[in-house]
Amino acid sequence: MNLSEKINIIRASVMGANDGIISVAGIVLGVFAATEGRTNGNWAIFIAGFAGTLAGMISMAAGEYVSVHGQRDAENAAIQLESEANRNNMKQQIATVQASLVSDDISLALAKKAASEMMMSRPIDTAVRVKHGFNIQNKINPYHAAIASFVTFPLGALLPMSAILASPKNLKIISTYAAVMIALILTGYFAAKIGNADTRNGIVRNVIAGLFTMTATFFIGRLFNR
């Protein structure tokens, strides 16, 4: 398994857990707000959270599979395109690689020699990397991403469900918010790290998205509490 594949699995795992936390937290808080004061409130929260978890697992896995498979289809199309271009007009392909090397501040003489050697030894790899920006050796597996998100979504969902179901009635809201906030800080941090982004901005965005989701669904649920 290459580095790109490992990063893809970690990304899918973090995003799966993050979506499980946010979406199921919104569901259980909304149902709590709609059923507060009723004797079967916990049962309704559990059923809604469980159904949301099952639906989320399947939709996340399907989404990851379709997304990554779409990327692979695009990469395969690029490989086929460059294979045909190499067969039909190798001189133009070499000239394109040479121009790319020159644009990277390599001297014309050296770029000409390097382009010829690169296209002689690894013609498809070189053309694809220069013209499309990816390495054909680093293909990622759509099944790995789908399985990773399928497994981590319920792990994320377990946190808000446990917090709201295990807490006494007067602490359900604050306990769920606190547990979700801590989890979102962690997933926001790791998501930013994976993407080499600013961790503070990643955490802030993630927490705001989670707070908005939970608060919106809570007040919507409150509208149905009659």
Side-chain angles (χ1 to χ4, degrees):
M1 186 180 294
N2 58 51
L3 181 59
S4 295
E5 180 67 14
K6 291 177 181 177
I7 291 174
N8 183 54
I9 292 173
I10 295 171
R11 177 200 57 78
S13 300
V14 172
M15 297 310 297
N18 195 68
D19 282 3
I21 293 165
I22 293 177
S23 58
V24 174
I27 290 172
V28 296
L29 280 172
V31 174
F32 170 74
T35 61
E36 190 175 8
R38 302 178 187 179
T39 56
N40 64 340
N42 262 11
W43 176 246
I45 291 170
F46 172 76
I47 291 298
F50 183 71
T53 300
L54 287 179
M57 291 166 63
I58 296 170
S59 65
M60 277 294 297
E64 285 289 346
Y65 175 82
V66 170
S67 175
V68 175
H69 214 296
Q71 179 181 335
R72 285 196 62 177
D73 288 345
E75 291 176 351
N76 288 335
I79 293 170
Q80 180 63 31
L81 179 67
E82 296 311 317
S83 297
E84 293 177 3
N86 286 350
R87 286 195 299 269
N88 298 332
N89 197 342
M90 178 60 78
K91 287 184 178 180
Q92 180 58 46
Q93 292 289 85
I94 293 174
T96 300
V97 174
Q98 178 183 314
S100 175
L101 295 174
V102 170
S103 69
D104 288 334
D105 296 328
I106 297 176
S107 67
L108 180 60
L110 182 57
K112 185 175 182 179
K113 181 180 179 182
S116 297
E117 290 182 358
M118 290 164 67
M119 291 299 290
M120 285 285 289
S121 60
R122 301 177 72 90
I124 298 176
D125 301 55
T126 301
V128 167
R129 185 173 63 253
V130 169
K131 296 174 68 175
H132 301 277
F134 70 92
N135 189 330
I136 66 175
Q137 307 301 324
N138 291 340
K139 286 188 177 182
I140 53 180
N141 191 317
Y143 294 101
H144 291 167
I147 292 170
S149 60
F150 185 84
V151 171
T152 56
F153 186 96
L155 295 179
L158 186 62
L159 179 67
M161 284 187 65
S162 300
I164 201 166
L165 291 173
S167 302
K169 186 175 180 180
N170 62 324
L171 294 178
K172 284 186 182 297
I173 296 175
I174 191 171
S175 297
T176 305
Y177 266 87
V180 169
M181 284 278 289
I182 294 171
L184 291 179
I185 290 171
L186 293 174
T187 55
Y189 173 83
F190 286 115
K193 275 292 188 183
I194 293 169
N196 294 319
D198 183 87
T199 54
R200 185 170 68 174
N201 289 340
I203 290 170
V204 170
R205 284 194 297 266
N206 204 39
V207 169
I208 289 175
L211 289 176
F212 177 80
T213 301
M214 291 187 293
T215 303
T217 52
F218 176 82
F219 282 110
I220 291 171
R222 183 67 77 188
L223 295 175
F224 292 92
N225 188 349
R226 298 177 180 177

